[in-house]
Amino acid sequence: MHTPHFALLCLALPGLAQTSAPADAPTRSTAERFVDPPGPMTAAQTQLLAEAKALLSGTESDPGRVLSDERFLSLHSQPAFRALIRDHAPASSVTMVSKDEPGPRLRVTLTLRAADGKPITDLLVYAYHTSAKGWYAAEAAHVRAESGDHKHARLFAYVRTDRDGRIVLDTIRPGPYPDSDLPEHIHLTAYVGDKAVGSTELLFADDPRVNEANRQGAERAGLPVAPVTRAADGTQSCVAEWRLRTVEKGSEPPTGPNKRV
């Protein structure tokens, strides 16, 4: 049986009120399912953070270069590193994973639109998801803390929409949670400053776990289940539109400059 913490994570998926492990699924230990949130940074991590800041201080700073650099993997769960990546969120596209990250390569092209259908420019988007084996952390499937996965997921990125309201995420196909029938998904939250103006999950049409309830829930959330295409080399891609019904007018952020405060 799943713990209450895991059940709360499951309720976040569109159209899925509950989930259960398959009847023949092995019982996993708590150690395999949960890891504690990160503690204070070590001296080595502090030095790495300084190096990341230096890389992002130039005029051609690219957070994707830092996120995809395996030297900085130990920092990914640390709040200070995540704030640094957010503060330097690029426009349009970002690479979320290193070249050696296991899993099929996936490119997500997403357009964010307001209730009036117009694209929303310069909107900050936070994306995170599991590894190919369905884990948010390097050591376990979930982080043991309030909103632990949201705050500390290893595979994450921040990116701003371009003039057409578009973002591109270069990542890997996320795996499903262990011992669960929940669909594969990418978590997405849109921000104006520090205020979230929308939060949902991107589901994939070729995932056999996606059912009619998931499809209907995704439609209600404004982000329909996305079709996936596969290239001859095994790479995957999907194109989707997310309608933020809480944002009435498009073309520009709804409440002025979209800067972190």
Side-chain angles (χ1 to χ4, degrees), residues 91-121:
S92 183
S93 65
V94 66
T95 299
M96 297 178 61
V97 297
S98 73
K99 61 181 179 61
D100 294 324
E101 180 69 29
R105 301 293 108 172
L106 173 68
R107 169 167 285 188
V108 176
T109 303
L110 182 66
T111 300
L112 284 80
R113 299 186 183 277
D116 60 5
K118 294 180 181 179
I120 310 173
T121 300

Side-chain angles (χ1 to χ4, degrees), residues 117-194:
K118 294 180 181 179
I120 310 173
T121 300
D122 196 33
L123 192 66
L124 182 68
V125 180
Y126 170 50
Y128 71 96
H129 61 77
T130 60
S131 66
K133 65 180 179 180
W135 289 15
Y136 286 109
E139 305 86 356
H142 299 285
V143 181
R144 186 188 292 106
E146 182 181 354
S147 302
D149 297 338
H150 178 88
K151 293 178 180 177
H152 304 291
R154 181 175 66 87
L155 302 182
F156 80 98
Y158 286 93
V159 62
R160 294 183 183 277
T161 56
D162 63 16
R163 65 178 62 186
D164 296 316
R166 187 179 298 116
I167 62 169
V168 176
L169 305 174
D170 284 312
T171 186
I172 54 103
R173 180 75 177 253
Y177 297 156
D179 305 337
S180 169
D181 56 6
L182 277 173
E184 302 162 353
H185 55 282
I186 296 177
H187 290 275
L188 298 162
T189 303
Y191 291 93
V192 173
D194 282 342

Side-chain angles (χ1 to χ4, degrees), residues 13-16 106 108-110 173 182-186 188 200-229 237-243 245:
L13 277 170
L16 192 59
L106 173 68
V108 176
T109 303
L110 182 66
R173 180 75 177 253
L182 277 173
E184 302 162 353
H185 55 282
I186 296 177
L188 298 162
T200 190
E201 294 87 25
L202 176 68
L203 306 182
F204 306 101
D206 64 349
D207 183 353
R209 300 168 189 80
V210 173
N211 57 33
E212 186 57 31
N214 302 148
R215 293 186 183 91
Q216 293 179 9
E219 291 279 354
R220 289 193 298 270
L223 180 56
V225 176
V228 177
T229 59
S237 61
C238 64
V239 179
E241 289 193 356
W242 181 12
R243 184 67 62 91
R245 298 188 178 94

